[in-house]
């Protein structure tokens, strides 16, 4: 009985590790490496633009989570995932411009009154995740969660 339980736990750990390697590391690289810009008809006549949609930074309003360890871990790992893949996109495709269309934040619609201080915290977090080199122009378009509409 104990040996079977240990085997199940080890199998679950192996599946978890394979999942992380496949979905966090290999597949994003595979998908981005399959993207390519069209060849311009004349040199210097094009500008490459990457469009990202709906990043929705996870927060306490995302899954109605209470502040604590689970929320902290959820935010940390989703931020790491988005930051890693944004940097991979910049490295792989080398766009001159990035347009990020909302929703930028999941809980932005909730930050009114006493919670308005959250905006500054979340904006700093957002800027850490989507930091780009100075030669890449970032343009942002707010979504309904960013301006207060709930649906």
């Amino acid at each position: 009985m104990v040996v079977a339980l240990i085997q199940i736990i080890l199998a679950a750990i192996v599946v978890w590790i394979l999942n992380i390697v496949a979905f966090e590391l290999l597949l994003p690289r595979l998908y981005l490496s399959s993207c390519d810009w069209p060849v311009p008809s004349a040199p210097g006549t094009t500008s490459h633009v990457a469009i990202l949609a709906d990043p929705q930074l996870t927060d306490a309003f995302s899954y109605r989570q209470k502040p604590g360890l689970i929320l902290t871990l959820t935010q940390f790992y989703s931020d790491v995932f988005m930051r890693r893949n944004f940097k991979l996109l910049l490295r792989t495709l080398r766009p001159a411009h990035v347009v990020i269309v909302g929703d930028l934040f999941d809980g932005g619609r909730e930050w009114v009154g006493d919670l308005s201080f959250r905006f500054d915290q979340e904006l700093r977090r957002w800027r850490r995740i989507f930091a780009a080199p100075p030669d890449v122009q970032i343009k942002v378009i707010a979504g309904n969660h960013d301006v207060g509409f709930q649906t």
Side-chain angles (χ1 to χ4, degrees):
M1 179 73 171
V2 173
V3 172
L5 182 62
I6 290 173
Q7 288 175 333
I8 291 172
I9 291 171
L10 288 176
I13 291 171
V14 168
V15 168
W16 180 72
I17 290 171
L18 290 174
N19 229 332
I20 295 293
V21 169
F23 293 106
E24 297 276 335
L25 302 174
L26 297 178
L27 287 178
R29 284 166 178 73
L30 177 68
Y31 289 132
L32 277 174
S33 68
S34 70
C35 296
D36 202 2
W37 302 110
V39 177
S41 55
T45 60
T46 62
S47 185
H48 298 137
V49 179
I51 300 174
L52 303 178
D54 213 18
Q56 286 195 4
L57 265 62
T58 305
D59 59 26
F61 299 103
S62 299
Y63 306 108
R64 301 193 193 313
Q65 295 184 50
K66 296 191 184 326
L69 180 62
I70 300 297
L71 175 59
T72 301
L73 289 173
T74 301
Q75 286 179 330
F76 175 78
Y77 284 110
S78 64
D79 289 2
V80 166
F81 178 80
M82 282 192 279
R83 184 174 39 249
R84 181 182 332 119
N85 286 298
F86 183 68
K87 290 193 181 307
L88 178 64
L89 176 136
L90 295 176
R91 239 185 358 261
T92 305
L93 298 180
R94 300 186 187 278
H97 309 276
V98 177
V99 178
I100 304 176
V101 297
D103 301 324
L104 310 175
F105 307 101
D106 196 30
R109 64 191 178 273
E110 306 287 346
W111 303 334
V112 295
D114 293 342
L115 291 177
S116 61
F117 73 93
R118 290 292 306 247
F119 176 77
D120 291 331
Q121 293 173 338
E122 295 300 311
L123 183 58
R124 282 192 299 277
R125 188 173 148 221
W126 191 90
R127 286 180 174 157
R128 276 193 312 271
I129 293 168
F130 295 105
D135 60 327
V136 177
Q137 292 185 9
I138 304 277
K139 301 295 181 196
V140 177
I141 301 170
N144 65 314
H145 286 203
D146 305 316
V147 296
F149 296 111
Q150 196 141 341
T151 56

